[in-house]
Amino acid sequence: MTEFIPPGTRWLDLPSPFAMKRGGSLHGARLAYETWGQLDPARGNAILILPGLSPDAHAAANTGNPEPGWWEAMLGPGKPIDTDRWFVVCVNSLGSCKGSTGPASIDPASGAPYRLDFPELSIEDGADAAFHLVRALGIERLACVIGNSMGGMSALAYLLRHPGSARAHLNISGAAHALPFSIAIRSLQREAIRLDPQWNNGDYDDAHYPESGMRMARKLGVITYRSALEWDGRFGRVRLDQSRQEHDRRDDEDPFGLEFEVESYLEGHARRFVRRFDPNCYLYLSRSMDWFDLAEYCDAPCGDRGGDVLQALAKIRVDKALAIGVSTDILFPLQQQEQVADGLRAGGADASFLPLDSPQGHDAFLVDFARFGPAVRGFLDAL
Amino acid sequence: MTEFIPPGTRWLDLPSPFAMKRGGSLHGARLAYETWGQLDPARGNAILILPGLSPDAHAAANTGNPEPGWWEAMLGPGKPIDTDRWFVVCVNSLGSCKGSTGPASIDPASGAPYRLDFPELSIEDGADAAFHLVRALGIERLACVIGNSMGGMSALAYLLRHPGSARAHLNISGAAHALPFSIAIRSLQREAIRLDPQWNNGDYDDAHYPESGMRMARKLGVITYRSALEWDGRFGRVRLDQSRQEHDRRDDEDPFGLEFEVESYLEGHARRFVRRFDPNCYLYLSRSMDWFDLAEYCDAPCGDRGGDVLQALAKIRVDKALAIGVSTDILFPLQQQEQVADGLRAGGADASFLPLDSPQGHDAFLVDFARFGPAVRGFLDAL
């Protein structure tokens, strides 16, 4: 398994055994993380970032690794998440393959990779692992937990399972449970991987690798992370340049090959991803999102799912919260962030919902800094 | 190849050779169709329905076939498309496999199925074939051309290439060109089929059939035909009934198997489809939609794609037009039907745009009769 762990990654050894929500436990597991800024003497200026499915812990350049990170425009001195003021911690999710323990890691019991012997992974396991890290860094109470996408789920699990662990919460394109439409898309992504004969029930290697399945899964991901509106302006109906060598371009030999720029864009994205993310880790993380449902924490189920989710959200105690969503997001639609704000407000938080008109869909927080920058800065500055 | 041709299907022999837009021609090709109602003596009450990618010509019960059709609620005596008043014709698209000539048909030159030797198929070829049928039925001028989805593209091609051929046009969830987001989705569907080793470059049979690829393609189709909003109300997070036997259900043997009702719904839909639609026909029809761009017919390209599309639409001459779209449609988004209405109006038509709030996405016209029924009835009644 090819792992891509950024230089400068730091590790926390998790308690061993580390019990998993759905049963089983991990031995000798660790969590990869990076930090920015200085923890103040009162330890009151700490922010935890819980990322989406695929990112590593390298959200931005730091002393350990000067390379730009996946949220470079948002995180650093003077930036919206201002590291002159805040001490920021970002993790690689438990179950991932960018340094944290996951299905691609060595199982100490066998000396071989866990693969499908990794215990069933829940969003809650990742949240609990991050909580151990925060405590190990000497932080009793975070100033804010920021969660993006899947991380928005993790953040809610974190806050609910660890009362009093944070003063504020910023939920970005997250959700309190998975919707059936998103479950359907992720199920299809997993099916693409599982259908690839090279997946071989999880037992692949670099020479026999489920490349096609991963490529399909990633393309479907990229499609659903963006929006029709954005791509119309970006690609239109432009054809591939006939003079350039392109992979799989449509010609007499391959009449159904790639023809439009948008197809080539997807192909390029997918090719860059498939060997940089472990397929089994992808399956585990993807499934953990489908399973996530904060309504499980509702004390007195009212039988109405939306009501149960709101009840569970209202058990979370934070002083301030902001849930940001994007109107063109089809994967975590706007109603889900509104629900998060409503539920946290019902729990007593000063909670707001901010819908943004970004054309970039679910991924807008990774690219639309003109809208997300001021929104995040405004919320954090007022803490 | 298993074909599913409804009983009562009628056929028109197309002119032979039948020249195709992108080159090549068909010999001995035919178009499958059905009719409802009576053509009046003045031959002025004829409506042509051009369907989406997968339907056959059996839109509703008729004397030749009393089984309900795919638009049963919309078409019949006293229904929104009232066959007491209108003589209605519906075709199976050229290139399909429900009776019309397509890649699964026998090539008279070889005596074997065309497969990938079928000439490149354009939306325009289907429109021209339908025009021949209408003329052969003795109809000089249609009262209305109705096009749904892909049929909305076909209808625009029909009207532009055959001036004066219709008095009115009803465009339902259609478009004047394919958007890159929709191209990306269809490209991925085709890739799923092409990646299936059983596709075998188009050379499959019933015993060696690209079942997995077709299943993936269909699931992705069904996902993008509907909407997150609808599925939340419909499936929620309901799990599969543990007491029932289900295909591929998640268990210890298959930890990534199906678990949620929405996954089983998709699986059922896909299984019903894969053996009822020819994979090569699917590839040809899907690609023809990507290629469709009415801007090709613009006389004086202005360099702005949207402007070119509007110019081309304005060349169409009809008296009245209505373009209906649905706010939750991600495949043919609302802006595309607004563009159709704007362009037809610029060409002198009394053209309206009607956005509907159906939660069912692109497929709403097949299910949301409470909204579509009155809209279609109102337009036709006023003709």
Side-chain angles (χ1 to χ4, degrees):
Chain A
M1 171 54 209
T2 311
E3 293 192 61
F4 286 84
I5 302 171
T9 294
R10 299 162 71 182
W11 279 273
L12 170 83
D13 289 323
L14 290 171
S16 187
F18 179 82
M20 303 286 274
K21 174 178 179 254
R22 292 176 66 98
S25 57
L26 299 175
H27 294 263
R30 57 188 199 162
L31 200 64
Y33 70 99
E34 295 193 25
T35 70
W36 296 260
Q38 298 296 324
L39 189 59
D40 66 23
R43 302 182 171 187
N45 71 328
I47 289 177
L48 171 67
I49 298 176
L50 296 170
L53 185 149
S54 59
D56 53 36
H58 190 59
N62 53 15
T63 47
N65 179 358
E67 290 294 311
W70 55 264
W71 227 15
E72 189 66 34
M74 293 293 278
L75 178 63
K79 293 184 180 173
I81 305 170
D82 187 352
T83 53
D84 286 337
R85 176 179 174 197
W86 304 108
F87 172 67
V88 181
V89 182
C90 182
V91 302
N92 176 235
S93 306
L94 188 73
S96 179
C97 53
K98 309 281 187 174
S100 292
T101 297
S105 305
I106 298 298
D107 177 359
S110 69
Y114 282 102
R115 305 185 187 275
L116 302 195
D117 289 332
F118 197 78
E120 292 183 351
L121 179 74
S122 303
I123 290 290
E124 284 88 339
D125 301 320
D128 290 351
F131 177 75
H132 280 291
L133 168 64
V134 169
R135 283 296 163 97
L137 293 172
I139 300 158
E140 273 296 308
R141 197 165 191 224
L142 290 162
C144 185
V145 181
I146 300 177
N148 304 327
S149 183
M150 182 186 90
M153 293 175 158
S154 310
L156 294 173
Y158 187 105
L159 293 165
L160 187 49
R161 290 164 70 90
H162 306 288
S165 59
R167 287 190 282 130
H169 171 44
L170 177 54
N171 198 295
I172 295 181
S173 301
H177 66 171
L179 291 179
F181 192 77
S182 315
I183 290 173
I185 289 167
R186 284 191 291 263
S187 173
L188 197 55
Q189 291 176 300
R190 295 194 298 271
E191 186 170 351
I193 295 169
R194 292 160 53 221
L195 275 176
D196 189 328
Q198 305 255 47
W199 177 59
N200 191 26
N201 218 26
D203 196 9
Y204 46 82
D205 58 30
D206 278 352
H208 305 87
Y209 190 90
E211 182 119 12
S212 300
M214 282 292 280
R215 206 165 66 230
M216 288 286 297
R218 182 59 171 176
K219 285 187 181 182
L220 180 52
V222 174
I223 288 173
T224 55
Y225 297 157
R226 311 302 282 231
S227 85
L229 186 62
E230 182 206 4
W231 283 9
D232 193 27
R234 187 161 166 185
F235 301 110
R237 295 183 46 82
V238 177
R239 253 65 171 194
L240 292 176
D241 185 342
Q242 294 297 316
S243 65
R244 264 163 54 205
Q245 288 284 341
E246 304 267 2
H247 289 295
D248 303 327
R249 203 180 57 199
R250 180 181 133 75
D251 55 23
D252 291 344
E253 297 291 296
D254 187 8
F256 289 95
L258 309 183
E259 178 170 359
F260 292 93
E261 275 206 351
V262 66
E263 294 176 282
S264 175
Y265 164 84
L266 275 183
E267 182 71 19
H269 251 279
R271 282 179 189 256
R272 281 192 298 279
F273 182 78
V274 294
R275 292 280 180 171
R276 286 169 184 259
F277 208 91
D278 177 69
N280 289 335
C281 292
Y282 190 92
L283 292 175
Y284 270 80
L285 288 164
S286 166
R287 189 180 56 176
S288 78
M289 295 171 77
D290 288 2
W291 279 336
F292 185 63
D293 186 2
L294 210 69
E296 288 175 17
Y297 298 87
C298 168
D299 290 322
C302 62
D304 167 58
R305 194 160 42 90
D308 287 349
V309 172
L310 286 173
Q311 273 193 47
L313 282 164
K315 294 175 70 178
I316 292 175
R317 295 282 171 268
V318 288
D319 299 336
K320 286 195 70 170
L322 173 65
I324 309 180
V326 165
S327 54
T328 51
D329 188 344
I330 57 174
L331 210 56
F332 285 70
L334 214 48
Q335 297 90 322
Q336 297 206 282
Q337 294 87 49
E338 186 168 24
Q339 183 183 51
V340 167
D342 287 347
L344 295 176
R345 194 178 308 114
D350 172 9
S352 304
F353 164 55
L354 177 63
L356 296 178
D357 277 332
S358 306
Q360 294 98 340
H362 183 63
D363 264 2
F365 67 91
L366 294 172
V367 285
D368 186 4
F369 302 116
R371 288 187 179 83
F372 275 90
V376 170
R377 185 189 296 275
F379 180 72
L380 295 180
D381 282 358
L383 292 184
Chain B
M1 170 55 209
T2 311
E3 292 191 64
F4 286 84
I5 303 171
T9 295
R10 298 162 71 182
W11 280 274
L12 171 82
D13 289 324
L14 290 171
S16 187
F18 179 83
M20 304 285 276
K21 175 178 178 252
R22 293 176 64 100
S25 57
L26 300 175
H27 295 262
R30 57 187 197 161
L31 200 65
Y33 70 99
E34 294 192 26
T35 70
W36 297 260
Q38 297 297 322
L39 188 59
D40 66 22
R43 301 181 172 188
N45 70 329
I47 289 178
L48 171 68
I49 298 175
L50 296 169
L53 185 149
S54 58
D56 53 37
H58 190 59
N62 52 15
T63 47
N65 180 358
E67 290 293 312
W70 55 264
W71 227 14
E72 189 66 33
M74 293 293 278
L75 178 62
K79 294 184 179 173
I81 306 172
D82 186 351
T83 52
D84 287 337
R85 176 179 176 196
W86 304 109
F87 172 69
V88 180
V89 182
C90 181
V91 302
N92 176 235
S93 305
L94 188 72
S96 179
C97 53
K98 309 281 187 174
S100 292
T101 298
S105 306
I106 299 298
D107 177 358
S110 69
Y114 282 102
R115 304 186 186 275
L116 302 195
D117 289 332
F118 198 78
E120 293 182 351
L121 179 75
S122 303
I123 290 291
E124 285 87 338
D125 300 320
D128 290 353
F131 178 74
H132 280 290
L133 168 64
V134 169
R135 284 297 164 99
L137 293 171
I139 300 157
E140 274 296 306
R141 196 166 191 223
L142 290 162
C144 186
V145 181
I146 300 177
N148 304 328
S149 182
M150 182 185 91
M153 294 175 157
S154 311
L156 294 172
Y158 187 104
L159 294 165
L160 187 48
R161 291 164 71 88
H162 306 288
S165 59
R167 289 189 282 130
H169 172 43
L170 177 54
N171 197 296
I172 295 180
S173 301
H177 65 173
L179 291 179
F181 192 76
S182 315
I183 290 173
I185 289 167
R186 285 192 290 263
S187 174
L188 196 54
Q189 291 176 299
R190 295 195 298 272
E191 187 171 351
I193 296 169
R194 293 160 52 221
L195 276 177
D196 189 326
Q198 305 255 48
W199 177 59
N200 192 27
N201 218 28
D203 197 8
Y204 46 82
D205 57 30
D206 278 351
H208 306 87
Y209 189 89
E211 182 119 13
S212 299
M214 283 292 280
R215 205 165 65 229
M216 288 286 296
R218 182 59 172 177
K219 285 187 181 183
L220 180 53
V222 174
I223 289 173
T224 55
Y225 297 156
R226 311 301 284 228
S227 85
L229 186 62
E230 181 207 3
W231 282 10
D232 193 26
R234 188 161 165 184
F235 302 110
R237 295 182 46 80
V238 176
R239 254 62 171 198
L240 291 176
D241 185 343
Q242 294 297 318
S243 65
R244 263 163 56 206
Q245 288 284 343
E246 304 268 0
H247 288 294
D248 303 329
R249 204 180 56 199
R250 180 181 134 75
D251 55 24
D252 291 346
E253 297 291 295
D254 187 7
F256 289 94
L258 309 183
E259 178 170 1
F260 291 93
E261 274 206 351
V262 66
E263 294 176 283
S264 175
Y265 165 84
L266 276 183
E267 182 71 18
H269 251 279
R271 283 179 187 256
R272 280 192 299 278
F273 183 78
V274 294
R275 292 279 180 170
R276 286 169 184 257
F277 209 90
D278 177 70
N280 289 335
C281 292
Y282 191 92
L283 293 174
Y284 270 80
L285 287 164
S286 167
R287 190 180 56 177
S288 78
M289 296 172 77
D290 289 2
W291 279 337
F292 185 63
D293 187 2
L294 211 70
E296 287 176 17
Y297 298 88
C298 168
D299 290 322
C302 63
D304 167 58
R305 194 161 41 88
D308 287 349
V309 172
L310 287 174
Q311 272 191 48
L313 282 164
K315 294 175 71 178
I316 292 174
R317 295 283 171 271
V318 287
D319 299 335
K320 287 194 69 171
L322 173 65
I324 309 179
V326 165
S327 54
T328 51
D329 188 344
I330 57 174
L331 209 56
F332 285 70
L334 214 48
Q335 297 91 322
Q336 297 206 281
Q337 294 89 48
E338 185 168 27
Q339 184 183 50
V340 167
D342 288 347
L344 295 177
R345 195 179 308 114
D350 172 10
S352 304
F353 163 56
L354 178 62
L356 297 178
D357 278 332
S358 306
Q360 295 96 341
H362 183 64
D363 264 3
F365 67 91
L366 293 173
V367 286
D368 186 4
F369 301 116
R371 288 187 178 83
F372 274 89
V376 170
R377 185 189 295 275
F379 180 72
L380 295 179
D381 282 358
L383 291 184

